[in-house]
Amino acid sequence: MAPSPQHIRAGILAYAAGDALGVPWEGKPPEEVDWEALEELPARGDWPRGSTSDDTDQLLLVARYLAETKGRVDERGLLTRLARALPRMRGAGPTTRAAVGRFVETDQLRASEGSSIGAAMRALPFGWATPVAATEQRRELTVRLSRATHGAPLAVMSACVVAEMAAWAIEQHPIDAVVAAGLREADHLAEQYALDSAATTPMREAAHGDWASPKRNMSLDAVTTMAIVLHVLRQATGLASAMKQAVALGGDTDTAAAIVGGILGSQARDIEGEIPWLSSVVLPESEMVEATAARLCALRRAFHQQAATIWA
């Protein structure tokens, strides 16, 4: 089945639903996550109930940037948009804030460090906008915009894994094939960056069903969060239950549940009946989401036609 704007729209809405589901529990160990209260979306501090975080803001920022420029993106364009939007974002992490601050003060376009999940959490649009066959174009887009804020190889690798899985998921491949594609991408980037094999062990164990989540002190780094995502996707039986399971594992709950939601949600055209708490989420403006989804789908067709011309 060819991806449609409805698939991308569903992915965006499911991502926001996962983000809102995890927001109240971010940073908590599993034993402090109340399974029975998850769908109630309890308020976090002074945030309105059902709020999403900077995860959804940054995902949409990248999606709109890709769509409006027809894929002609660069670090300056991303950082300029982030600098404008950051003051209004709830929960933006220190790595992204530091990168934007450096850009504003010194015009630095690439980060030299940063191993958090910030690049991966906004990487789904790279996969939605490129067909599976456009591996090099997808990787180039992802690496380029990831390094604007996150310079650590593990952070860039994690973003490429998310983008790869998004491309496979939206083309309706079985979830085991989606997970396998993500793991292959991790192996490729690990080799490219000459990473020690142990660096990707949690992701590999999660993809193969051998990963045991820490009970306490869950790290918020990119690899641990990606291990949660792969672990949940591998055993997913439904969209809503998978997002809830991602939150129940603790740690970076909003990002893990959002990525899981975005990947699984993009395999459906209509998710309104699949997520019980969706009506309580403070969702992005619907016309903007639909317009962005349509433009990303058109960009995907353009990439597909370009690839077909090269193959011919």
Side-chain angles (χ1 to χ4, degrees), residues 17-172:
D19 185 9
L21 186 74
V23 156
W25 314 100
E26 184 182 19
K28 294 185 181 297
E31 64 269 20
E32 292 184 20
V33 177
D34 185 349
W35 180 272
E36 299 302 324
L38 288 182
E39 293 185 18
E40 297 174 8
L41 306 185
R44 168 178 167 177
D46 60 355
W47 296 22
R49 179 175 171 269
S51 292
T52 57
S53 72
D54 69 302
D55 292 34
T56 298
D57 290 337
Q58 290 198 47
L59 177 104
L60 284 169
L61 185 148
V62 167
R64 296 179 72 184
Y65 182 38
L66 266 175
E68 291 167 10
T69 63
K70 299 181 179 179
R72 298 179 180 90
V73 296
D74 58 27
E75 298 91 335
R76 184 178 300 281
L78 174 68
L79 288 165
T80 298
R81 290 185 177 223
L82 278 173
R84 289 199 300 261
L86 205 56
R88 302 186 301 277
M89 290 185 184
R90 291 190 180 94
T95 302
T96 297
R97 290 190 180 279
V100 172
R102 285 192 301 270
F103 167 68
V104 171
E105 294 173 10
T106 69
D107 203 40
Q108 182 174 330
L109 297 179
R110 289 187 180 178
S112 59
E113 55 186 15
S115 60
S116 69
I117 197 68
M121 77 186 193
R122 61 179 189 244
L124 286 165
F126 301 123
W128 292 338
T130 54
V132 163
T135 304
E136 293 300 326
Q137 294 97 324
R138 176 167 52 258
R139 189 178 295 138
E140 180 182 355
L141 287 169
T142 308
V143 170
R144 187 169 196 180
L145 292 197
S146 295
R147 290 186 304 188
T149 56
H150 291 71
L154 287 173
V156 177
M157 177 195 71
S158 298
C160 289
V161 170
V162 170
E164 189 71 9
M165 290 196 296
W168 282 71
I170 203 168
E171 290 189 10
Q172 310 304 302

Side-chain angles (χ1 to χ4, degrees), residues 155-222:
V156 177
M157 177 195 71
S158 298
C160 289
V161 170
V162 170
E164 189 71 9
M165 290 196 296
W168 282 71
I170 203 168
E171 290 189 10
Q172 310 304 302
H173 290 280
I175 201 62
D176 58 344
V178 172
V179 169
L183 200 55
R184 288 194 300 272
E185 185 69 358
D187 288 340
H188 178 87
L189 271 294
E191 180 179 355
Q192 181 175 319
Y193 288 121
L195 297 174
D196 186 280
S197 59
T200 58
T201 295
M203 295 171 59
R204 183 171 303 283
E205 290 178 344
H208 292 153
D210 301 323
W211 180 74
S213 64
K215 296 301 181 185
R216 287 188 172 274
N217 302 320
M218 179 74 81
S219 172
L220 299 183
D221 69 274

Side-chain angles (χ1 to χ4, degrees), residues 258-278:
I259 294 174
V260 167
I263 289 171
L264 295 178
S266 68
Q267 295 194 315
R269 285 177 177 269
D270 184 3
I271 62 167
E272 274 74 2
E274 296 189 36
I275 304 176
W277 63 92
L278 187 63

